mmCIF file with all atom_site columns, all heavy atoms in Angstrom:
data_model
loop_
_atom_site.group_PDB
_atom_site.id
_atom_site.type_symbol
_atom_site.label_atom_id
_atom_site.label_alt_id
_atom_site.label_comp_id
_atom_site.label_asym_id
_atom_site.label_entity_id
_atom_site.label_seq_id
_atom_site.pdbx_PDB_ins_code
_atom_site.Cartn_x
_atom_site.Cartn_y
_atom_site.Cartn_z
_atom_site.occupancy
_atom_site.B_iso_or_equiv
_atom_site.pdbx_formal_charge
_atom_site.auth_seq_id
_atom_site.auth_comp_id
_atom_site.auth_asym_id
_atom_site.auth_atom_id
_atom_site.pdbx_PDB_model_num
ATOM 1   N N   . PHE A 1 32  ? -111.801 54.208 -178.013 1.00 0.00 ? 32  PHE A N   1
ATOM 2   C CA  . PHE A 1 32  ? -111.126 55.322 -177.339 1.00 0.00 ? 32  PHE A CA  1
ATOM 3   C C   . PHE A 1 32  ? -109.613 55.128 -177.428 1.00 0.00 ? 32  PHE A C   1
ATOM 4   O O   . PHE A 1 32  ? -109.134 54.016 -177.652 1.00 0.00 ? 32  PHE A O   1
ATOM 5   C CB  . PHE A 1 32  ? -111.560 55.395 -175.870 1.00 0.00 ? 32  PHE A CB  1
ATOM 6   C CG  . PHE A 1 32  ? -112.944 55.948 -175.695 1.00 0.00 ? 32  PHE A CG  1
ATOM 7   C CD1 . PHE A 1 32  ? -114.040 55.092 -175.609 1.00 0.00 ? 32  PHE A CD1 1
ATOM 8   C CD2 . PHE A 1 32  ? -113.156 57.313 -175.640 1.00 0.00 ? 32  PHE A CD2 1
ATOM 9   C CE1 . PHE A 1 32  ? -115.320 55.605 -175.465 1.00 0.00 ? 32  PHE A CE1 1
ATOM 10  C CE2 . PHE A 1 32  ? -114.433 57.834 -175.496 1.00 0.00 ? 32  PHE A CE2 1
ATOM 11  C CZ  . PHE A 1 32  ? -115.525 56.973 -175.408 1.00 0.00 ? 32  PHE A CZ  1
ATOM 12  N N   . ALA A 1 36  ? -101.989 60.026 -172.033 1.00 0.00 ? 36  ALA A N   1
ATOM 13  C CA  . ALA A 1 36  ? -101.344 60.472 -170.798 1.00 0.00 ? 36  ALA A CA  1
ATOM 14  C C   . ALA A 1 36  ? -101.388 61.983 -170.831 1.00 0.00 ? 36  ALA A C   1
ATOM 15  O O   . ALA A 1 36  ? -100.938 62.601 -171.802 1.00 0.00 ? 36  ALA A O   1
ATOM 16  C CB  . ALA A 1 36  ? -99.904  59.986 -170.734 1.00 0.00 ? 36  ALA A CB  1
ATOM 17  N N   . LEU A 1 44  ? -111.101 80.520 -165.075 1.00 0.00 ? 44  LEU A N   1
ATOM 18  C CA  . LEU A 1 44  ? -112.177 80.816 -166.044 1.00 0.00 ? 44  LEU A CA  1
ATOM 19  C C   . LEU A 1 44  ? -113.303 79.796 -165.831 1.00 0.00 ? 44  LEU A C   1
ATOM 20  O O   . LEU A 1 44  ? -113.054 78.591 -165.849 1.00 0.00 ? 44  LEU A O   1
ATOM 21  C CB  . LEU A 1 44  ? -111.625 80.705 -167.471 1.00 0.00 ? 44  LEU A CB  1
ATOM 22  C CG  . LEU A 1 44  ? -112.637 80.867 -168.613 1.00 0.00 ? 44  LEU A CG  1
ATOM 23  C CD1 . LEU A 1 44  ? -113.260 82.259 -168.620 1.00 0.00 ? 44  LEU A CD1 1
ATOM 24  C CD2 . LEU A 1 44  ? -111.965 80.585 -169.963 1.00 0.00 ? 44  LEU A CD2 1
ATOM 25  N N   . ASP A 1 46  ? -117.787 78.690 -165.871 1.00 0.00 ? 46  ASP A N   1
ATOM 26  C CA  . ASP A 1 46  ? -119.220 78.862 -166.079 1.00 0.00 ? 46  ASP A CA  1
ATOM 27  C C   . ASP A 1 46  ? -119.886 78.880 -164.706 1.00 0.00 ? 46  ASP A C   1
ATOM 28  O O   . ASP A 1 46  ? -119.286 78.430 -163.720 1.00 0.00 ? 46  ASP A O   1
ATOM 29  C CB  . ASP A 1 46  ? -119.795 77.678 -166.875 1.00 0.00 ? 46  ASP A CB  1
ATOM 30  C CG  . ASP A 1 46  ? -119.294 77.633 -168.319 1.00 0.00 ? 46  ASP A CG  1
ATOM 31  O OD1 . ASP A 1 46  ? -118.801 78.661 -168.800 1.00 0.00 ? 46  ASP A OD1 1
ATOM 32  O OD2 . ASP A 1 46  ? -119.413 76.559 -168.937 1.00 0.00 ? 46  ASP A OD2 1
ATOM 33  N N   . SER A 1 67  ? -113.982 87.526 -172.305 1.00 0.00 ? 67  SER A N   1
ATOM 34  C CA  . SER A 1 67  ? -112.722 87.867 -172.961 1.00 0.00 ? 67  SER A CA  1
ATOM 35  C C   . SER A 1 67  ? -112.409 89.339 -172.689 1.00 0.00 ? 67  SER A C   1
ATOM 36  O O   . SER A 1 67  ? -113.284 90.104 -172.294 1.00 0.00 ? 67  SER A O   1
ATOM 37  C CB  . SER A 1 67  ? -112.815 87.610 -174.466 1.00 0.00 ? 67  SER A CB  1
ATOM 38  O OG  . SER A 1 67  ? -113.724 88.503 -175.071 1.00 0.00 ? 67  SER A OG  1
ATOM 39  N N   . GLY A 1 71  ? -105.063 95.657 -177.093 1.00 0.00 ? 71  GLY A N   1
ATOM 40  C CA  . GLY A 1 71  ? -104.401 96.359 -178.187 1.00 0.00 ? 71  GLY A CA  1
ATOM 41  C C   . GLY A 1 71  ? -104.149 97.802 -177.820 1.00 0.00 ? 71  GLY A C   1
ATOM 42  O O   . GLY A 1 71  ? -105.086 98.554 -177.566 1.00 0.00 ? 71  GLY A O   1
ATOM 43  N N   . GLY A 1 123 ? -137.073 67.140 -159.546 1.00 0.00 ? 123 GLY A N   1
ATOM 44  C CA  . GLY A 1 123 ? -136.326 67.650 -160.691 1.00 0.00 ? 123 GLY A CA  1
ATOM 45  C C   . GLY A 1 123 ? -135.613 68.937 -160.359 1.00 0.00 ? 123 GLY A C   1
ATOM 46  O O   . GLY A 1 123 ? -135.439 69.279 -159.187 1.00 0.00 ? 123 GLY A O   1
ATOM 47  N N   . ALA A 1 134 ? -116.905 77.184 -176.049 1.00 0.00 ? 134 ALA A N   1
ATOM 48  C CA  . ALA A 1 134 ? -117.189 75.763 -176.308 1.00 0.00 ? 134 ALA A CA  1
ATOM 49  C C   . ALA A 1 134 ? -116.313 75.237 -177.444 1.00 0.00 ? 134 ALA A C   1
ATOM 50  O O   . ALA A 1 134 ? -115.827 75.999 -178.282 1.00 0.00 ? 134 ALA A O   1
ATOM 51  C CB  . ALA A 1 134 ? -118.661 75.596 -176.666 1.00 0.00 ? 134 ALA A CB  1
ATOM 52  N N   . LEU A 1 160 ? -123.888 61.146 -152.970 1.00 0.00 ? 160 LEU A N   1
ATOM 53  C CA  . LEU A 1 160 ? -123.399 60.231 -154.009 1.00 0.00 ? 160 LEU A CA  1
ATOM 54  C C   . LEU A 1 160 ? -122.035 59.654 -153.657 1.00 0.00 ? 160 LEU A C   1
ATOM 55  O O   . LEU A 1 160 ? -121.735 58.516 -153.976 1.00 0.00 ? 160 LEU A O   1
ATOM 56  C CB  . LEU A 1 160 ? -123.281 60.972 -155.347 1.00 0.00 ? 160 LEU A CB  1
ATOM 57  C CG  . LEU A 1 160 ? -124.578 61.258 -156.094 1.00 0.00 ? 160 LEU A CG  1
ATOM 58  C CD1 . LEU A 1 160 ? -124.283 62.058 -157.355 1.00 0.00 ? 160 LEU A CD1 1
ATOM 59  C CD2 . LEU A 1 160 ? -125.319 59.971 -156.445 1.00 0.00 ? 160 LEU A CD2 1
ATOM 60  N N   . ARG A 1 165 ? -119.644 59.407 -157.932 1.00 0.00 ? 165 ARG A N   1
ATOM 61  C CA  . ARG A 1 165 ? -119.636 60.602 -158.777 1.00 0.00 ? 165 ARG A CA  1
ATOM 62  C C   . ARG A 1 165 ? -118.637 60.445 -159.928 1.00 0.00 ? 165 ARG A C   1
ATOM 63  O O   . ARG A 1 165 ? -118.918 60.788 -161.075 1.00 0.00 ? 165 ARG A O   1
ATOM 64  C CB  . ARG A 1 165 ? -119.262 61.813 -157.930 1.00 0.00 ? 165 ARG A CB  1
ATOM 65  C CG  . ARG A 1 165 ? -120.266 62.936 -158.079 1.00 0.00 ? 165 ARG A CG  1
ATOM 66  C CD  . ARG A 1 165 ? -119.704 64.180 -157.511 1.00 0.00 ? 165 ARG A CD  1
ATOM 67  N NE  . ARG A 1 165 ? -120.375 64.512 -156.251 1.00 0.00 ? 165 ARG A NE  1
ATOM 68  C CZ  . ARG A 1 165 ? -120.215 65.680 -155.648 1.00 0.00 ? 165 ARG A CZ  1
ATOM 69  N NH1 . ARG A 1 165 ? -119.439 66.591 -156.154 1.00 0.00 ? 165 ARG A NH1 1
ATOM 70  N NH2 . ARG A 1 165 ? -120.844 65.926 -154.539 1.00 0.00 ? 165 ARG A NH2 1
ATOM 71  N N   . HIS A 1 181 ? -112.924 65.937 -160.232 1.00 0.00 ? 181 HIS A N   1
ATOM 72  C CA  . HIS A 1 181 ? -111.722 65.810 -159.409 1.00 0.00 ? 181 HIS A CA  1
ATOM 73  C C   . HIS A 1 181 ? -111.065 67.176 -159.183 1.00 0.00 ? 181 HIS A C   1
ATOM 74  O O   . HIS A 1 181 ? -110.867 67.604 -158.054 1.00 0.00 ? 181 HIS A O   1
ATOM 75  C CB  . HIS A 1 181 ? -110.774 64.862 -160.157 1.00 0.00 ? 181 HIS A CB  1
ATOM 76  C CG  . HIS A 1 181 ? -109.549 64.476 -159.429 1.00 0.00 ? 181 HIS A CG  1
ATOM 77  N ND1 . HIS A 1 181 ? -108.454 65.282 -159.354 1.00 0.00 ? 181 HIS A ND1 1
ATOM 78  C CD2 . HIS A 1 181 ? -109.222 63.346 -158.763 1.00 0.00 ? 181 HIS A CD2 1
ATOM 79  C CE1 . HIS A 1 181 ? -107.505 64.667 -158.667 1.00 0.00 ? 181 HIS A CE1 1
ATOM 80  N NE2 . HIS A 1 181 ? -107.951 63.492 -158.298 1.00 0.00 ? 181 HIS A NE2 1
ATOM 81  N N   . GLY A 1 187 ? -103.711 62.250 -165.861 1.00 0.00 ? 187 GLY A N   1
ATOM 82  C CA  . GLY A 1 187 ? -104.824 61.449 -166.381 1.00 0.00 ? 187 GLY A CA  1
ATOM 83  C C   . GLY A 1 187 ? -104.287 60.366 -167.299 1.00 0.00 ? 187 GLY A C   1
ATOM 84  O O   . GLY A 1 187 ? -103.551 60.661 -168.252 1.00 0.00 ? 187 GLY A O   1
ATOM 85  N N   . LEU A 1 197 ? -102.050 65.491 -158.158 1.00 0.00 ? 197 LEU A N   1
ATOM 86  C CA  . LEU A 1 197 ? -100.703 66.050 -158.064 1.00 0.00 ? 197 LEU A CA  1
ATOM 87  C C   . LEU A 1 197 ? -100.803 67.451 -157.466 1.00 0.00 ? 197 LEU A C   1
ATOM 88  O O   . LEU A 1 197 ? -101.903 67.958 -157.258 1.00 0.00 ? 197 LEU A O   1
ATOM 89  C CB  . LEU A 1 197 ? -100.064 66.145 -159.461 1.00 0.00 ? 197 LEU A CB  1
ATOM 90  C CG  . LEU A 1 197 ? -99.874  64.823 -160.219 1.00 0.00 ? 197 LEU A CG  1
ATOM 91  C CD1 . LEU A 1 197 ? -99.390  65.104 -161.626 1.00 0.00 ? 197 LEU A CD1 1
ATOM 92  C CD2 . LEU A 1 197 ? -98.886  63.934 -159.488 1.00 0.00 ? 197 LEU A CD2 1
ATOM 93  N N   . THR A 1 231 ? -94.925  56.267 -182.087 1.00 0.00 ? 231 THR A N   1
ATOM 94  C CA  . THR A 1 231 ? -93.602  55.709 -181.794 1.00 0.00 ? 231 THR A CA  1
ATOM 95  C C   . THR A 1 231 ? -93.056  56.303 -180.496 1.00 0.00 ? 231 THR A C   1
ATOM 96  O O   . THR A 1 231 ? -92.259  55.688 -179.819 1.00 0.00 ? 231 THR A O   1
ATOM 97  C CB  . THR A 1 231 ? -92.612  56.033 -182.933 1.00 0.00 ? 231 THR A CB  1
ATOM 98  O OG1 . THR A 1 231 ? -92.724  57.416 -183.215 1.00 0.00 ? 231 THR A OG1 1
ATOM 99  C CG2 . THR A 1 231 ? -92.920  55.234 -184.186 1.00 0.00 ? 231 THR A CG2 1
ATOM 100 N N   . ARG A 1 255 ? -93.131  71.198 -171.965 1.00 0.00 ? 255 ARG A N   1
ATOM 101 C CA  . ARG A 1 255 ? -92.100  70.747 -172.916 1.00 0.00 ? 255 ARG A CA  1
ATOM 102 C C   . ARG A 1 255 ? -92.444  69.383 -173.499 1.00 0.00 ? 255 ARG A C   1
ATOM 103 O O   . ARG A 1 255 ? -91.946  68.993 -174.547 1.00 0.00 ? 255 ARG A O   1
ATOM 104 C CB  . ARG A 1 255 ? -90.734  70.689 -172.232 1.00 0.00 ? 255 ARG A CB  1
ATOM 105 C CG  . ARG A 1 255 ? -90.091  72.050 -172.206 1.00 0.00 ? 255 ARG A CG  1
ATOM 106 C CD  . ARG A 1 255 ? -88.666  71.951 -171.720 1.00 0.00 ? 255 ARG A CD  1
ATOM 107 N NE  . ARG A 1 255 ? -88.452  72.980 -170.706 1.00 0.00 ? 255 ARG A NE  1
ATOM 108 C CZ  . ARG A 1 255 ? -87.884  72.786 -169.537 1.00 0.00 ? 255 ARG A CZ  1
ATOM 109 N NH1 . ARG A 1 255 ? -87.427  71.610 -169.201 1.00 0.00 ? 255 ARG A NH1 1
ATOM 110 N NH2 . ARG A 1 255 ? -87.763  73.780 -168.694 1.00 0.00 ? 255 ARG A NH2 1
ATOM 111 N N   . ARG A 1 275 ? -99.219  81.165 -181.685 1.00 0.00 ? 275 ARG A N   1
ATOM 112 C CA  . ARG A 1 275 ? -98.255  80.764 -180.650 1.00 0.00 ? 275 ARG A CA  1
ATOM 113 C C   . ARG A 1 275 ? -97.112  81.781 -180.590 1.00 0.00 ? 275 ARG A C   1
ATOM 114 O O   . ARG A 1 275 ? -96.729  82.232 -179.504 1.00 0.00 ? 275 ARG A O   1
ATOM 115 C CB  . ARG A 1 275 ? -97.735  79.359 -180.961 1.00 0.00 ? 275 ARG A CB  1
ATOM 116 C CG  . ARG A 1 275 ? -96.756  78.847 -179.946 1.00 0.00 ? 275 ARG A CG  1
ATOM 117 C CD  . ARG A 1 275 ? -96.629  77.326 -179.952 1.00 0.00 ? 275 ARG A CD  1
ATOM 118 N NE  . ARG A 1 275 ? -95.853  76.910 -178.805 1.00 0.00 ? 275 ARG A NE  1
ATOM 119 C CZ  . ARG A 1 275 ? -94.538  76.674 -178.834 1.00 0.00 ? 275 ARG A CZ  1
ATOM 120 N NH1 . ARG A 1 275 ? -93.875  76.773 -179.974 1.00 0.00 ? 275 ARG A NH1 1
ATOM 121 N NH2 . ARG A 1 275 ? -93.901  76.325 -177.738 1.00 0.00 ? 275 ARG A NH2 1
ATOM 122 N N   . ASP A 1 307 ? -99.859  94.616 -169.553 1.00 0.00 ? 307 ASP A N   1
ATOM 123 C CA  . ASP A 1 307 ? -98.747  94.670 -170.523 1.00 0.00 ? 307 ASP A CA  1
ATOM 124 C C   . ASP A 1 307 ? -98.993  93.663 -171.638 1.00 0.00 ? 307 ASP A C   1
ATOM 125 O O   . ASP A 1 307 ? -98.838  93.957 -172.820 1.00 0.00 ? 307 ASP A O   1
ATOM 126 C CB  . ASP A 1 307 ? -97.404  94.314 -169.848 1.00 0.00 ? 307 ASP A CB  1
ATOM 127 C CG  . ASP A 1 307 ? -96.880  95.469 -169.024 1.00 0.00 ? 307 ASP A CG  1
ATOM 128 O OD1 . ASP A 1 307 ? -97.454  96.577 -169.145 1.00 0.00 ? 307 ASP A OD1 1
ATOM 129 O OD2 . ASP A 1 307 ? -95.938  95.252 -168.248 1.00 0.00 ? 307 ASP A OD2 1
ATOM 130 N N   . PHE A 1 320 ? -107.737 85.966 -169.442 1.00 0.00 ? 320 PHE A N   1
ATOM 131 C CA  . PHE A 1 320 ? -106.709 85.760 -168.421 1.00 0.00 ? 320 PHE A CA  1
ATOM 132 C C   . PHE A 1 320 ? -107.278 84.840 -167.356 1.00 0.00 ? 320 PHE A C   1
ATOM 133 O O   . PHE A 1 320 ? -108.475 84.889 -167.059 1.00 0.00 ? 320 PHE A O   1
ATOM 134 C CB  . PHE A 1 320 ? -106.297 87.092 -167.790 1.00 0.00 ? 320 PHE A CB  1
ATOM 135 C CG  . PHE A 1 320 ? -105.532 87.968 -168.736 1.00 0.00 ? 320 PHE A CG  1
ATOM 136 C CD1 . PHE A 1 320 ? -106.052 89.179 -169.157 1.00 0.00 ? 320 PHE A CD1 1
ATOM 137 C CD2 . PHE A 1 320 ? -104.304 87.552 -169.227 1.00 0.00 ? 320 PHE A CD2 1
ATOM 138 C CE1 . PHE A 1 320 ? -105.356 89.975 -170.041 1.00 0.00 ? 320 PHE A CE1 1
ATOM 139 C CE2 . PHE A 1 320 ? -103.606 88.344 -170.125 1.00 0.00 ? 320 PHE A CE2 1
ATOM 140 C CZ  . PHE A 1 320 ? -104.128 89.551 -170.536 1.00 0.00 ? 320 PHE A CZ  1
#
Side-chain angles (χ1 to χ4, degrees):
F32 285 94
L44 175 63
D46 292 342
S67 67
L160 284 177
R165 232 193 252 191
H181 186 280
L197 299 173
T231 49
R255 277 188 227 132
R275 181 159 190 265
D307 283 350
F320 290 115

